[in-house]
Amino acid sequence: RSDATLNAGGIRFGTSEIYRVVENIDNVIECLAVERNLYNDTEVLLFIKLNSKNKFNKKLIEKIRLEIRSNLSPKHVPSKIFEVSDIPKTKSGKIVELSIKNIINGSKVQNKNSLANPNCLIEYENIYLKLNKV
């Protein structure tokens, strides 16, 4: 996995720190974290793919936030958490954080041809639209 660097509240940390905690939570298959640019700041967004048995609800969101806060720090806790049906990957199976970071920040995704599952990007584009109420 790549280890992108996030900057939350002036604290720099790698996405793998969050992944290590969140992916140990029951029924979370995998996750992806990106930084979203705001007017003069940034926020961390977390996308999680769940086992089909688990429900995405406030209880799960609070559990994720608590696990991150207690195992890492309050600065590591993402400002928003979304459930997604899939995490984009290259044909060799590597997670593509940059594509999602581009979508969430309103940029075009380059090299969609290198993705094994490019159709999943539509879900992230819809989240971008909701975040920006476009």
Side-chain angles (χ1 to χ4, degrees):
R1 277 191 120 140
S2 71
D3 186 18
T5 302
L6 304 172
N7 186 345
I11 305 293
R12 294 176 64 81
F13 55 91
T15 54
S16 64
E17 294 177 60
I18 292 177
Y19 300 161
R20 203 171 12 257
V21 172
V22 176
E23 291 176 359
N24 280 317
I25 296 172
D26 287 343
N27 296 316
V28 172
I29 296 171
E30 59 188 346
C31 62
L32 179 137
V34 298
E35 198 170 55
R36 177 177 175 228
N37 297 322
L38 301 172
Y39 175 66
N40 59 357
D41 200 2
T42 61
E43 67 179 350
V44 175
L45 306 182
L46 180 66
F47 303 93
I48 59 170
K49 180 179 177 181
L50 296 174
N51 179 315
S52 60
K53 297 177 209 164
N54 205 358
K55 296 274 188 266
F56 185 74
N57 55 33
K58 286 184 182 184
K59 185 177 176 184
L60 178 62
I61 291 170
E62 285 310 310
K63 180 176 178 125
I64 291 169
R65 290 183 192 279
L66 179 64
E67 288 293 317
I68 293 171
R69 187 177 293 112
S70 34
N71 287 290
L72 297 170
S73 81
K75 295 282 187 185
H76 286 78
V77 177
S79 57
K80 294 178 180 69
I81 301 173
F82 301 93
E83 179 185 20
V84 291
S85 58
D86 208 0
I87 303 284
K89 294 185 178 128
T90 62
K91 292 174 182 168
S92 63
K94 291 185 180 178
I95 288 185
V96 187
E97 295 168 336
L98 186 58
S99 293
I100 302 311
K101 182 177 181 177
N102 285 343
I103 289 170
I104 291 303
N105 288 295
S107 299
K108 293 281 181 209
V109 173
Q110 306 297 319
N111 254 348
K112 284 185 185 180
N113 296 339
S114 67
L115 297 179
N117 53 349
N119 291 341
C120 78
L121 298 180
I122 294 167
E123 193 170 7
Y124 296 88
E125 290 165 355
N126 289 334
I127 291 169
Y128 167 79
L129 293 174
K130 284 181 196 168
L131 287 169
N132 295 287
K133 295 181 177 56
V134 174

